[in-house]
Amino acid sequence: MRSNSVKRGFERAPHRSLFKAMGYIDEELNRPLIGVVNAKSELIPGHIHLDTIAKAVKEGVRIGGGTPMEFPCIGVCDGIAMGHVGMKYSLATRELIADSIEAMAMAHGFDGLVLIPNCDKIVPGMLMAAVRVNIPAIVVSGGPMLSGKLGEQDVDLNTVFEAVGAVKAGSMTEEELFKLEESACPGCGSCSGMYTANSMNCLTEALGMALPGNGTIPAVYAARVRLAKRTGMTIMGLVEQDIKPRDIMTEKAFENALALDMALGCSTNSVLHIPAIANEADISIDLDIVNDISEKTPNLCKLSPAGPHHVEDLYMAGGVQAVLNELAGEELIHKDLMTVTGKTVGENIENAQILNREIIRPISNPYSKTGGIKVLHGNLAPDGAVVKQSAVASEMLVHRGPARVFGSEEDAFNAIMDGKIRAGDVVVIRYEGPKGGPGMKEMLAPTSAIAGMGLDKDVALLTDGRFSGATRGASIGHVSPEAMEGGPIALVEEGDIISIDIPAGKLDVEISDEELQRRRQEWVMPEPKIKHGYLGRYASMVTSASTGAVLKNIDR
């Protein structure tokens, strides 16, 4: 056992004495030691209940013959951090999470890890750590929030963000907004649409790193607690067989995750996180691979914000395994891959069925023949940009309009709220990339304001930052190279005509190469917005969004 390094032999008597100071007895220390990484906090609705999940996991570990040892993990609530300096820290915490779990796992000699995340950066951060330390590991999330109800209407967090724009436009009163605020998020769990948290929890199933149901069983269902107990039991089998994350998260497993991503219409943030997780296994997932898989994988689901359904509906319709089984029928999924269940992907999905073909469409009748995410290239994004095409109105799939240029999210949001953006405009928000932000802020406030004011079918948004999974409309993010690196987005001027063709994968500013070169020679890099502290260090080390915004590695 790996834990023998901290407990076996007379030389480790001091170590055992410290364990015994915490109440552990010899019978417990003689068993495999399992680290239970709990992201529970009183700051995130998706994490407020993770003590219940951790308790169930630990019961499962003990049933399986192991000794669980719990330790904490940080997490930022993207919704609460949205629209102010806090959002600069969100993506950056992914690396902190991975680093801290690596430190704890290696320092204490665990035989295995159970990872308990739920939201946004916490899921990929934990998966990055699992690949890096490469000891037996398994994930169980806290589960999705139920959608809210306001009269007969299903509502969610995105509904509230968009309602802010509706109040500004005069189509909703502040009293109506307050009623919505009280109803939209009815309890614990990751926000109920196919936003980043639920996207990553579903993709974790496809990667083979979680038991079936991880992505979709609602947080408040007893089935979620049962899943946590089963997860605790399952880690003991992985330890016994020494099945490690790199045995499971192979290149083909990442292709499975991307195929599911396209079928579900997941958050564009998955295009940051999947390459970052793969990078830890020395596997390269670039934007060309994303586009190739999107081109051949149909979009089968329209979950909020792309459509009216929520993750609880996906669960009742058969969940992730039913979607994988539908894709497997057209050989779009690798079925022979190992998973944490001890069975292959094919064995896991063989009995999965679509129970509601309005929620999960058959491949014979998809929403579109290509996937939910599209990568765009052109003279404005030589290294690529990303859009959630499944959430774009048909009227905006092809668009041409004048650039309205802003150097920060705040400036753009204020212009939108002041009525300075008109139908046909292309809002360009720059110097918000991984280096320029720093931290590559999500832009849910401006996109929601555009939608709430009824302009989502008339106005495009373009940024070297990123958009929340709750965003809908022609919102194009991850423009690379970013402005802070002198990318073409830094050279756009007010009134330049920008041409967007999402089906063709094109994103261009209609000026000559000579004019771009002239502007490039005149461009001067601005002073960094933040020079000190964690974000200052992060900005000096982070790479492009096109490579997952990972930190530079001295070994690579």
Side-chain angles (χ1 to χ4, degrees):
M1 287 189 289
R2 292 175 179 83
S3 59
N4 285 346
S5 63
V6 298
K7 68 183 186 184
R8 185 59 56 87
F10 74 89
E11 302 93 341
R12 295 296 182 257
H15 303 63
R16 292 191 297 273
S17 69
L18 291 169
F19 281 118
K20 289 176 179 179
M22 295 179 280
Y24 293 105
I25 60 177
D26 288 329
E27 287 80 358
E28 290 176 296
L29 297 179
N30 288 335
R31 298 172 180 174
L33 305 185
I34 307 299
V36 178
V37 190
N38 186 3
K40 196 267 188 213
S41 78
E42 297 180 353
L43 289 167
I44 310 176
H47 291 207
I48 191 73
H49 65 304
L50 292 188
D51 50 351
T52 300
I53 302 300
K55 178 176 180 290
V57 164
K58 290 187 285 187
E59 289 172 354
V61 169
R62 292 190 182 99
I63 290 170
T67 298
M69 296 179 172
E70 183 179 340
F71 63 91
C73 170
I74 66 164
V76 166
C77 177
D78 279 19
I80 294 172
M82 195 73 65
H84 59 92
V85 68
M87 183 46 71
K88 293 179 183 289
Y89 285 87
S90 175
L91 179 62
T93 62
R94 187 185 69 184
E95 320 314 305
L96 279 177
I97 289 163
D99 290 350
S100 63
I101 294 171
E102 173 196 355
M104 292 294 287
M106 299 307 293
H108 297 95
F110 291 119
D111 297 297
L113 293 173
V114 180
L115 306 162
I116 309 175
N118 212 23
C119 293
D120 293 284
K121 268 55 59 197
I122 298 92
V123 184
M126 286 189 174
L127 286 168
M128 289 166 69
V131 179
R132 191 184 300 171
V133 302
N134 203 35
I135 62 174
I138 188 171
V139 175
V140 58
S141 75
M145 184 186 294
L146 297 176
S147 61
K149 290 283 187 182
L150 186 59
E152 296 298 314
Q153 180 187 6
D154 288 338
V155 294
D156 57 30
L157 177 66
N158 192 46
T159 317
V160 188
F161 269 101
E162 292 188 1
V164 173
V167 170
K168 187 66 178 179
S171 59
M172 176 181 280
T173 66
E174 290 192 39
E175 290 76 15
E176 289 171 326
L177 176 61
F178 179 75
K179 290 179 181 178
L180 177 59
E181 169 191 327
E182 293 268 288
S183 306
C185 299
C188 66
S190 47
C191 296
S192 57
M194 190 50 72
Y195 313 146
T196 305
N198 291 324
S199 294
M200 291 309 302
N201 285 323
C202 288
L203 297 186
T204 302
E205 276 191 59
L207 281 171
M209 283 297 294
L211 298 180
N214 177 72
T216 59
I217 298 172
V220 295
Y221 283 17
R224 175 61 56 178
V225 177
R226 296 198 298 270
L227 183 76
K229 288 182 182 178
R230 291 287 179 195
T231 299
M233 295 168 67
T234 300
I235 188 61
M236 300 313 301
L238 295 172
V239 169
E240 182 179 352
Q241 298 173 64
D242 200 29
I243 297 173
K244 299 182 287 294
R246 292 193 188 197
D247 300 323
I248 294 170
M249 285 191 276
T250 62
E251 185 171 356
K252 288 184 177 180
F254 287 107
E255 291 175 1
N256 280 356
L258 287 171
L260 178 70
D261 188 319
M262 301 308 162
L264 292 179
C266 289
S267 165
T268 53
N269 283 318
S270 62
V271 182
L272 282 176
H273 299 321
I274 291 295
I277 299 163
N279 178 67
E280 296 289 346
D282 297 319
I283 296 170
S284 176
I285 301 293
D286 60 26
L287 295 184
D288 289 337
I289 294 171
V290 174
N291 244 8
D292 289 345
I293 292 175
S294 181
E295 283 300 311
K296 64 182 181 182
T297 309
N299 177 223
L300 305 181
C301 301
K302 284 283 189 184
L303 302 165
S304 178
H309 307 130
H310 291 84
V311 178
E312 66 201 77
D313 302 312
L314 177 61
Y315 170 63
M316 297 304 294
V320 165
Q321 302 297 307
V323 178
L324 291 175
N325 200 20
E326 186 70 11
L327 296 175
E330 296 295 320
E331 299 185 349
L332 296 171
I333 291 293
H334 304 290
K335 298 199 299 182
D336 59 342
L337 306 183
M338 182 184 300
T339 74
V340 291
T341 66
K343 300 177 181 179
T344 65
V345 171
E347 290 171 328
N348 287 342
I349 66 177
E350 62 183 351
N351 295 318
Q353 296 180 356
I354 298 176
L355 304 177
N356 186 329
R357 291 187 176 270
E358 291 298 315
I359 309 298
I360 305 172
R361 285 196 175 183
I363 281 184
S364 60
N365 181 34
Y367 282 102
S368 69
K369 293 182 179 179
T370 56
I373 288 177
K374 185 77 172 183
V375 176
L376 312 181
H377 288 90
N379 69 353
L380 195 48
D383 293 343
V386 181
V387 63
K388 188 173 183 175
Q389 65 178 349
S390 60
V392 179
S394 58
E395 299 94 320
M396 289 298 292
L397 290 171
V398 177
H399 181 75
R400 182 176 177 271
R404 305 297 309 280
V405 183
F406 302 93
S408 70
E409 177 196 14
E410 292 80 5
D411 289 348
F413 180 72
N414 291 335
I416 293 165
M417 295 298 283
D418 290 343
K420 295 179 179 178
I421 303 302
R422 298 175 177 83
D425 286 347
V426 178
V427 176
V428 177
I429 308 174
R430 62 192 182 193
Y431 296 105
E432 291 287 12
K435 289 181 182 295
M440 204 180 181
K441 291 162 64 177
E442 287 187 345
M443 307 285 178
L444 184 55
T447 59
S448 296
I450 287 285
M453 297 172 79
L455 292 172
D456 57 299
K457 296 181 180 178
D458 300 291
V459 172
L461 292 98
L462 177 68
T463 184
D464 55 4
R466 59 198 176 99
F467 291 113
S468 166
T471 294
R472 62 185 174 97
S475 302
I476 301 167
H478 308 199
V479 174
S480 301
E482 64 172 287
M484 200 64 178
E485 292 188 322
I489 191 172
L491 311 178
V492 175
E493 295 181 357
E494 187 82 6
D496 284 347
I497 299 300
I498 292 178
S499 174
I500 301 166
D501 189 335
I502 293 173
K506 299 294 292 180
L507 178 62
D508 293 290
V509 56
E510 295 183 4
I511 58 177
S512 67
D513 292 343
E514 292 77 14
E515 176 61 14
L516 268 178
Q517 184 60 28
R518 184 191 67 78
R519 294 182 188 181
R520 183 172 288 109
Q521 291 173 348
E522 295 179 354
W523 177 78
V524 177
M525 185 177 73
E527 282 289 306
K529 295 177 183 176
I530 295 178
K531 299 180 182 180
H532 306 290
Y534 177 58
L535 281 182
R537 295 195 303 275
Y538 178 85
S540 71
M541 299 171 67
V542 70
T543 63
S544 171
S546 63
T547 56
V550 297
L551 298 185
K552 295 173 185 175
N553 192 319
I554 59 173
D555 297 329
R556 299 192 180 112

